Amino acid sequence: MEIATKYAGYIARQRDEVARHEAHESTRIPEVLDYEQVSGLSIEVRQKLAAARPETVGQAARISGVTPAAISLLLVHLKRRSKGGAPAEAGGELAA
């Protein structure tokens, strides 16, 4: 009981992280997304994503060499793009 109380905050935070991860697992990536436009991605990650053309963020996260930080940058880009903050590319839409 003491251990559960001691680590309750950490456990809650980890559960929140898992829930966020699951929510983004099926976030679609537009087919026409130009990975060169995603700020902060390394050249290696851009090349890997462009070659694989994953359909969802979950698929992108499972590509070898694509880091959690790169996935975060991709999610930020998709969110900005869906709100009109980035130039729209032909036909692609973000669907969660």
Side-chain angles (χ1 to χ4, degrees):
M1 190 63 146
E2 180 182 333
I3 293 173
T5 303
K6 191 175 193 178
Y7 292 102
Y10 296 108
I11 293 169
R13 234 179 305 164
Q14 195 65 33
R15 284 187 183 134
D16 290 344
E17 181 68 26
V18 168
R20 275 193 305 275
H21 176 73
E22 288 174 352
H24 293 305
E25 180 72 19
S26 61
T27 298
R28 303 216 35 97
I29 299 173
E31 289 180 33
V32 296
L33 182 66
D34 180 5
Y35 292 102
E36 295 297 321
Q37 301 301 314
V38 182
S39 300
L41 288 182
S42 70
I43 293 170
E44 177 186 11
V45 169
R46 288 174 196 213
Q47 290 172 345
K48 287 182 178 200
L49 290 171
R53 302 303 306 175
E55 294 179 17
T56 66
V57 173
Q59 290 175 353
R62 288 186 287 278
I63 297 171
S64 176
V66 177
T67 64
I71 295 300
S72 293
L73 291 169
L74 180 59
L75 285 167
V76 167
H77 180 80
L78 292 172
K79 186 173 182 180
R80 284 184 183 155
R81 190 172 179 268
S82 71
K83 290 184 177 183
E89 293 150 296
E93 298 226 358
L94 174 65

